[in-house]
Amino acid sequence: MLGLFRWLGRSPGSPVAVLGILLSMSTIVLFCFDIETRYLERIVAAKTDARSFAKVLAEHTALAFDDIDRVLLEAEAIRASSLAVRGTDPATANLALRQLQSNSSVLVAIGWTNASGDVLAHSYAAAPPRTNISDMAHFVAQRDSADDQLFISPPYRSAVGDKWFSAASRRLSNPDGSFAGIVTAPLDQSYFARIYRSIDLGKNGSVVLLHREGRILAREPERRDAIGKSFADVPLLTDYLPTSPSGSFESTSPVDGIERIAGYQAVPGLPLVLIVTYARTDVLAPWYRHLYTYGLLVATIVLFILFGTYLLVRQTNRLAAKTQALGRTNTRFDVAISNMSQGLCLFDADKKLVISNRQYQEMYDLPDDLVVPGTPLDRILQFYKDRGEASNLTVDQHVQLMPTQRKQDHELADDRKIFIQRKPLPDGGWVATHEDITELKRSEQLLAEKAAELGAINLRFDAALNNMSQGLCMFDADQKIVVANARYGEIYRLDRDQIRPGTSLAQILEYRREKGTNFADVAPETYLTRNIKEAAEVRELVDGRVVAIARHIMADGGWLTTHEDITERAHNEKKVAFLAQHDLLTGLANRVVFSEKLDEAARRLQRHGTTFTVLMLDLDKFKNVNDTLGHPAGDRLLVEVAQRLKSSLRDTDVLARLGGDEFAIIQDNEKDQVAGAVGLARRIIGLIEQPFDLGGNKVNVGTSVGIAFAPEHGDTADVLLQKADIALYAVKSGGRNGFQIFRPELTEAADMQKSLESDLRDALSRNEFELHYQPMVDATTQTTCGAEAFVRWRHPSKGILLPDQFLRAAESTGLMLPLGEWILRQACLDAARWPSPIRLAVNISAAQFEGGNLLDSLLGALVASGLSPDRLELEIADDAVVQGNQVHLRTMRQLKNLGVSIVLDNCGAGYSAVSSLAGFPFDKIKIDKPIAQGMANRRDCAAMVSSVLALAEGLNVATAAKGVETEAQFEALRAAGVDFVQGYLFGRPVPVAELEFSARRTSAKHVA
């Protein structure tokens, strides 16, 4: 069959074959359609007849049960009459019931019962088969129902034989409505069977009277094994009847297994359904006869059509074979001219177009009507002219001249160049080829230029590649080198021969292993399978250097990789990261780390109940050491104290320097919390009491210790620090050099703090604050270039208070915002009167950032004072940068946009890190006082200053150092490259009236 279709597909007579096949198929389809229609008509007719019979029989059944109900009502009247006349003989009632029953052909008997089911009256000639029917379904149903309605019971078997009955009944009620019994009549089901037998439903048709409960009351033809049997799960009761009281369906009979077409009708008002069915075989018998008779006829017609089609196809193929040779010749010619790279046209002796190919039309952008055979040449040339093709000859001149021009170079209006060759034909016409040589000419012209340009590009590429600061290497999909620059070889100490194109990555890794430049933390196998898929990574080599690697994956499976030696940067970042978490002077953990450890201990307490103790330490007489021996001696003392404190602690304890001479300890997991804390406090006090040798000077200091227990005194870091600080304050107030465990009564010291806060609230309104200014000096010229504002509080009873005595209270009470606004406004007013080059520096606290109105306050101060924004520097402490840096970053950028300079203050005090500087618009970094003072004689301080200067240079910002008190410190800082300096060496903070800018150094009266 498949071969036949292939032959038809190749055959010229295939349309005839298709027509014959379609005619045959149409005949078959029409016959099938007729058969399908007749089939559906038989099924539909059977369903309609079945529904009609079911409806008629249902109406008859309803009438029959109406008569039965009427008889029951008459029996109920007989009962009422007998009850009305006392002493009535029961035989009289039985006689009346027998007369009533004799008038009905469907009733077997009739009678009534009392409330207990005892049969009181009946129509039987002798004793009834059942004297008590209290267990019968119809009795139970009427007893349990309050309605006096006709009830038809499911079929039940006779008490004296195997005959089946159904019962009709009504409820009897007492005058008070209570149940009095029932009036009932057994029904002869053969009555219905006789009626159904009179209906002609074919050989295997059936009629069924079905109780809705699922039992058959009567069936014709009769099946005694089916009467009384439950068919509650048949589709009629489960699917069809719940949706419609009448209808039709097809199914296999559950009674006799015959496939049937059924119509059903529910009897109105009764729990009965009439089902009339036709056997499917009886219904479709005429249809099968039609199918077999006409099917053979249709098959014969189809075979005749197919045979005739075959003969026509064979004849058509013979006729078509004679034209195939000509067709093949024409096809070859069409293919040849259509696939020419040149345009081709053929004109006859009358100068009319005979044929042309697609290239010719596209080359001159001719419309379709101008390439139709028979188009005159002058019409085509006129189209050229109308389109704007310039020429010195007229169209007629071109027509006359063209056949004689064998070769012609023609340039179009769009600068394309066409080479035309013409060959005369014997009949007077000619054939011409048109070739677009524009690109050929252009290529010849550009070839030399491109060759020279390519040579220059190669030279520039080689120069760029080999002068990159980064190593570059490109690998193909087979992990082999495509190109690599010299820097790549230098980083890994490889020769040019070892990184030549074609070298595999695995071989490169082996060369590096031999040279000692392989990766320290990744195996070659892992690197070849996993690491090469990472976009970027930083790896350490076995020689200690650090390399940053970036990769760009290409579409062909290869990748381009760059390698940069970042050893120095990585080491600097590690140093700065260490300094961000440790106190520079003592090497102890700083406040940030201590806070983190304290939070961790609080979380362990909440999760596991692990107790811990917080100890706050403050050195006694430390200020005396600074004042008498100088800050370098004080720094050495702090280092010695840190060493002694560490020697007194376990590895699990946490020790930190919070700032100045303040230390803190977390003592964790002590069995006896109080004894452990007291023992540690005494050991610390004993250690610190021992004399310190500071460069030949014996120094005696003490320490005060405040202790708070978790959870006894609190379970959060803030509460425990506050309680330990209160206990520490109590020790210092009580004579120092001792320890104190927090007690609630120690909070009296906090009351004193509140008193200070109360005075602080009134101080601003009473104008008790004033500003002092300390000069800032250019380290190169040693001339004053600006001044920094410092606030002083002239307290009515305590005299002049320095910032560290009240600013913390101002921040804790929220007074820092109005005080900061006043400082900014007053400083701008003072600076506006200074010489124009002199700049003003004002410290901005974290509270002012968090207040949200810093920008508005600054604008108000600048407008009110008239001070140019470029003369104002805002110094921001590094802790303000760490806290909420995203919010502060937006504010700083807004300030920067105004022209104000931003200075990072206290760099190195514990918070500053590379991450703090990244992204922030700082113009200057100010080195913290202890680091600046230790620059001249301490290597760690000098290293820190060098790191800060390197960072500042990388960020292109200036540097300043504060706290400069000696010439040695100044010279060391200036030699290191610090741009600006500030300290007692150049002047103390003084009122604005005493500030001088003219001298190269501040006058002696302002020098410590």
Side-chain angles (χ1 to χ4, degrees), residues 644-687:
R644 294 188 185 185
L645 290 176
K646 285 195 288 186
S647 68
S648 67
L649 300 178
R650 303 168 302 175
D651 293 338
T652 58
D653 297 332
V654 178
L655 171 64
R657 181 189 176 201
L658 302 185
D661 61 343
E662 187 178 7
F663 297 85
I665 297 172
I666 302 174
Q667 188 183 41
D668 197 3
N669 203 20
E670 280 284 345
K671 293 182 179 180
D672 188 335
Q673 194 174 11
V674 176
V678 171
L680 177 59
R682 286 176 174 167
R683 287 198 304 274
I684 290 173
I685 293 172
L687 286 171

Side-chain angles (χ1 to χ4, degrees), residues 584 903-909 912 924-935 941-942 944-949 952 958-964 973 976-980 982:
L584 176 63
V903 180
L904 176 65
D905 198 11
N906 298 334
C907 183
S912 303
K924 183 187 296 183
I925 300 176
K926 181 174 282 189
I927 301 171
D928 196 33
K929 177 180 177 180
I931 299 172
Q933 292 179 344
M935 170 68 183
C941 291
M944 183 60 186
V945 171
S946 297
S947 298
V948 172
L949 291 174
T959 55
K962 64 180 181 179
V964 180
L973 291 167
V978 174
D979 300 309
F980 303 97
Q982 176 183 351

Side-chain angles (χ1 to χ4, degrees), residues 954-968:
L955 296 172
N956 194 26
V957 298
T959 55
K962 64 180 181 179
V964 180
E965 298 180 357
T966 66
E967 287 289 346

Side-chain angles (χ1 to χ4, degrees), residues 585 625-626 629-638 694 933-934 937-938 965-966 969:
L585 182 63
V625 175
N626 270 342
L629 300 179
H631 289 287
D635 291 343
R636 287 197 296 274
L637 174 61
L638 291 174
L694 304 179
Q933 292 179 344
N937 51 15
R938 288 178 49 183
E965 298 180 357
T966 66
Q969 294 171 359

Side-chain angles (χ1 to χ4, degrees), residues 846-1001:
Q848 289 175 271
F849 272 104
E850 295 166 0
N853 63 342
L854 177 59
L855 183 62
D856 296 338
S857 300
L858 177 65
L859 287 172
L862 292 174
V863 171
S865 64
L867 181 67
S868 175
D870 58 4
R871 292 180 57 197
L872 177 60
E873 294 180 355
L874 297 182
E875 297 192 358
I876 303 168
D878 55 356
D879 59 345
V881 175
V882 172
Q883 301 169 7
N885 58 357
Q886 291 301 319
V887 178
H888 298 171
L889 177 59
R890 288 195 298 269
T891 304
M892 280 188 269
R893 286 176 175 169
Q894 291 172 338
L895 298 173
K896 180 73 173 177
N897 290 336
L898 291 176
V900 176
S901 298
I902 307 298
V903 180
L904 176 65
D905 198 11
N906 298 334
C907 183
Y911 289 97
S912 303
V914 174
S915 60
S916 303
L917 303 181
F920 285 87
F922 292 119
D923 299 283
K924 183 187 296 183
I925 300 176
K926 181 174 282 189
I927 301 171
D928 196 33
K929 177 180 177 180
I931 299 172
Q933 292 179 344
M935 170 68 183
N937 51 15
R938 288 178 49 183
R939 288 190 300 173
D940 53 352
C941 291
M944 183 60 186
V945 171
S946 297
S947 298
V948 172
L949 291 174
L951 289 172
E953 183 179 359
L955 296 172
N956 194 26
V957 298
T959 55
K962 64 180 181 179
V964 180
E965 298 180 357
T966 66
E967 287 289 346
Q969 294 171 359
F970 169 64
E971 292 299 334
L973 291 167
R974 182 172 64 173
V978 174
D979 300 309
F980 303 97
V981 289
Q982 176 183 351
Y984 287 175
L985 179 64
F986 308 101
R988 292 178 178 272
V990 295
V992 65
E994 302 177 23
L995 190 62
E996 297 181 6
F997 300 111
S998 59
R1000 291 177 63 86
R1001 287 284 188 92

Side-chain angles (χ1 to χ4, degrees), residues 743-810:
R743 301 190 310 275
E745 56 268 24
L746 297 180
T747 55
E748 294 179 2
D751 295 337
M752 296 179 63
Q753 180 72 10
K754 291 181 181 179
S755 175
L756 178 64
E757 294 172 359
S758 178
D759 293 342
L760 192 60
R761 289 189 179 93
D762 298 331
L764 197 59
S765 61
R766 293 198 295 256
N767 294 324
E768 294 177 357
F769 292 105
E770 59 185 55
L771 295 181
H772 290 196
Y773 296 92
Q774 185 177 38
M776 293 184 293
V777 176
D778 187 310
T780 302
T781 63
Q782 300 188 40
T783 58
T784 302
C785 60
E788 182 178 355
F790 295 96
V791 66
R792 300 290 187 264
W793 181 9
R794 191 173 295 277
H795 194 278
S797 60
K798 299 178 182 179
I800 293 291
L801 298 182
L802 297 179
D804 58 356
Q805 296 175 281
F806 62 85
L807 284 185
R808 182 177 297 178

Side-chain angles (χ1 to χ4, degrees), residues 476-636:
D476 60 19
D478 296 327
Q479 298 188 357
K480 293 183 178 181
I481 291 180
V482 178
V483 65
N485 66 357
R487 180 57 181 158
Y488 178 78
E490 292 173 1
I491 291 176
Y492 297 112
R493 299 169 187 161
L494 301 177
D495 300 333
R496 292 297 298 176
D497 290 341
Q498 293 176 320
I499 58 173
R500 66 179 181 273
T503 305
S504 67
L505 178 57
Q507 186 62 55
I508 292 292
L509 296 179
E510 178 61 24
Y511 289 151
R512 287 173 48 189
R513 186 191 64 78
E514 296 172 356
K515 295 287 187 177
T517 58
N518 54 305
F519 296 121
D521 56 350
V522 60
E525 298 80 10
T526 303
Y527 186 83
L528 289 170
T529 57
R530 183 182 306 168
N531 292 69
I532 62 172
K533 300 177 183 178
E534 297 180 5
E537 60 179 328
V538 176
R539 291 291 171 192
E540 185 174 354
L541 307 184
V542 294
D543 61 4
R545 290 181 298 144
V546 180
V547 177
I549 304 172
R551 299 181 183 87
H552 174 71
I553 306 301
M554 295 181 293
D556 62 357
W559 69 94
L560 177 67
T561 177
T562 59
H563 301 249
E564 183 179 3
D565 188 338
I566 60 168
T567 305
E568 184 176 355
R569 183 183 13 169
H571 290 171
N572 288 338
E573 288 178 353
K574 287 182 179 179
K575 290 179 182 178
V576 174
F578 177 83
L579 295 174
Q581 295 186 336
H582 293 80
D583 175 56
L584 176 63
L585 182 63
T586 63
L588 300 179
N590 60 14
R591 183 182 295 272
V592 173
V593 175
F594 184 78
S595 298
E596 293 173 355
K597 296 295 184 181
L598 192 56
D599 288 337
E600 291 175 5
R603 288 194 292 270
R604 287 197 300 272
L605 171 65
Q606 294 173 357
R607 289 195 299 265
H608 309 297
T610 306
T611 61
F612 64 94
T613 304
V614 178
L615 296 90
M616 297 283 288
L617 289 73
D618 195 303
L619 296 182
D620 302 327
K621 304 177 185 178
F622 176 72
K623 187 174 183 301
N624 295 338
V625 175
N626 270 342
D627 293 342
T628 57
L629 300 179
H631 289 287
D635 291 343
R636 287 197 296 274

